[in-house]
Amino acid sequence: METLFGLDYQTWWFLVVGGVFSGYAILDGFDFGAGAWHLFLRKEKSRRIAMNAVGPVWDGNEVWLVIGGGALFAGFPIAYASLLSAMYTPFMLFLFFIIFRAVSIEFRGKEEMKWWRKLWDVVYSFSSIMLGFLLGVVLGNVLMGISIDANHNYNGDALLSFLNPYSILMGLTSLSLFMSHGAIYLLLKTEGKLYERLAVLQKYAMAAFITVFALTSVYTLLYAPHLSDKLMTMPASLILPVLVVLSIANIPRLTHKKKYLQAFLFSSLCISFMLLLCALEVYPNLLISSISPENNIDIYNAASSLKSLKIMMIIVAIGTPLVLGYTFFVYKTFSGKVKIDETSY
């Protein structure tokens, strides 16, 4: 088997897909979280400031989702097909809400009527909440296992089977984490009374996240032993749960000191470490079959040809610096506190 720097190409592509989705969770996670707080902000000016805080970057953040989906399809087409078949309902809901969230951002400021703005405020906030929740629901199903047969076809109930205790807990975990993440981002972009209110809201979100995270961890140990058993076979990997806990612990410590940039970095690290832990728990599998381990879809039986993976790795080597450079430029350009003017949302 051919390798690159000691790793086979299938593993490299697994890391690429995981890295892109981690970037997406960090970047779109904070603007989902910011949107989820929208209805908690009572004043019109506060809502406009919060929306304009994500206004220059929200659409760029969604590029990472497009890249992630494309990378999964290109590198592991069988896993892509099976995942979309199994999670058809949550993915269609996700598409619905992400469209209406974008529409609400653009349409809200087009008219001055109160009912018009309130309508799009509700659409924007509810869509943001559902998007954060649905991402966790999909991840919960991937970790717990999906009804996949020997031909790698999904044979479960496509309508509501995605809702189960574990996926709901994961959905609440992702939503509360994104709301804390988004509140910290808004604290970097606001001042005055809005800043003070967001500081309080962030504490509520963090308390909710720690509570739900603890419940999800206990549920995982009790009802998903295939995940924790994997860590027990590799003692060195136990450093990851420690890093997750340390990153979580640093967020309230830094927000208490009003060091919000550092808190945002640790919040981003928390998301990265949690997703890395999930990846390690399932590797080399991509989708775990709840019917039989023999039906699992892994990075080898789902991968594109070796030649395709080699060509795509070259594209990744060229494209990654460009994407990172563009992302840095945008955030650097729009750094600092938000100021409302006639061109604002």
Side-chain angles (χ1 to χ4, degrees), residues 217-239:
S217 300
V218 172
Y219 192 100
T220 302
L221 292 172
L222 293 177
Y223 299 104
H226 61 281
L227 299 176
S228 55
D229 289 350
K230 183 74 174 290
L231 296 178
M232 298 305 176
T233 61
M234 298 182 294
S237 66
L238 293 174
I239 188 65

Side-chain angles (χ1 to χ4, degrees), residues 19-309:
V20 172
F21 280 121
S22 294
Y24 173 69
I26 291 169
L27 296 176
D28 230 13
F30 77 69
D31 66 49
F32 289 164
W37 288 118
H38 197 69
L39 293 180
F40 291 83
L41 310 178
R42 301 185 184 95
K43 294 183 179 179
E44 167 68 12
K45 185 178 179 181
S46 296
R47 292 182 177 183
R48 289 191 67 197
I49 291 172
M51 187 171 281
N52 280 275
V54 301
V57 297
W58 68 268
D59 47 355
N61 293 342
E62 291 178 0
V63 170
W64 288 74
L65 176 62
V66 176
I67 296 172
L72 181 61
F73 173 74
F76 305 113
I78 295 175
Y80 177 91
S82 297
L83 178 62
L84 264 67
S85 297
M87 297 288 103
Y88 183 83
T89 301
F91 278 130
M92 289 304 296
L93 288 172
F94 188 91
L95 183 62
F96 175 85
F97 286 120
I98 207 166
I99 290 171
F100 272 90
R101 182 175 182 274
V103 170
S104 64
I105 293 173
E106 297 297 335
F107 277 27
R108 183 187 187 277
K110 300 301 183 185
E111 298 289 346
E112 296 290 336
M113 297 90 75
K114 286 187 177 181
W115 68 266
W116 174 268
R117 295 198 170 187
K118 285 183 178 179
L119 169 65
W120 293 114
D121 283 343
V122 172
V123 172
Y124 174 61
S125 189
F126 184 70
S127 296
S128 299
I129 290 170
M130 289 305 299
L131 288 167
F133 177 73
L134 287 169
L135 285 176
V137 166
V138 172
L139 180 59
N141 279 279
V142 170
L143 293 174
M144 184 59 75
I146 297 171
S147 181
I148 300 172
D149 62 23
N151 295 319
H152 297 155
N153 295 321
Y154 176 68
N155 64 2
D157 176 15
L159 187 60
L160 291 176
S161 61
F162 69 95
L163 288 176
N164 53 72
Y166 191 65
S167 68
I168 292 172
L169 277 173
M170 286 294 293
L172 294 174
T173 301
S174 64
L175 174 59
S176 56
L177 176 56
F178 287 164
M179 290 183 76
S180 171
H181 194 49
I184 295 171
Y185 175 78
L186 290 176
L187 283 162
L188 292 170
K189 307 293 288 183
T190 59
E191 51 195 350
K193 290 184 177 180
L194 175 58
Y195 173 93
E196 294 172 2
R197 178 161 177 76
L198 286 165
V200 175
L201 293 175
Q202 191 278 329
K203 291 178 182 178
Y204 291 152
M206 196 65 208
F209 166 66
I210 292 172
T211 301
V212 180
F213 174 74
L215 290 173
T216 306
S217 300
V218 172
Y219 192 100
T220 302
L221 292 172
L222 293 177
Y223 299 104
H226 61 281
L227 299 176
S228 55
D229 289 350
K230 183 74 174 290
L231 296 178
M232 298 305 176
T233 61
M234 298 182 294
S237 66
L238 293 174
I239 188 65
L240 266 178
V242 175
L243 291 173
V244 170
V245 172
L246 290 176
S247 60
I248 292 172
N250 266 296
I251 298 171
R253 182 182 71 84
L254 291 167
T255 54
H256 180 72
K257 295 181 177 181
K258 301 187 185 305
K259 296 181 178 180
Y260 293 116
L261 179 58
Q262 293 93 321
F264 186 80
L265 292 175
F266 272 96
S267 184
S268 301
L269 284 174
C270 174
I271 295 171
S272 298
F273 288 146
M274 288 177 70
L275 290 175
L276 184 58
L277 180 60
C278 292
L280 184 64
E281 288 172 333
V282 300
Y283 178 84
N285 296 310
L286 295 166
L287 296 176
I288 298 170
S289 172
S290 59
I291 298 174
S292 170
E294 295 179 358
N295 300 343
N296 289 352
I297 299 177
D298 60 37
I299 62 173
Y300 301 106
N301 62 25
S304 298
S305 68
L306 183 60
K307 184 176 182 180
S308 296
L309 293 176

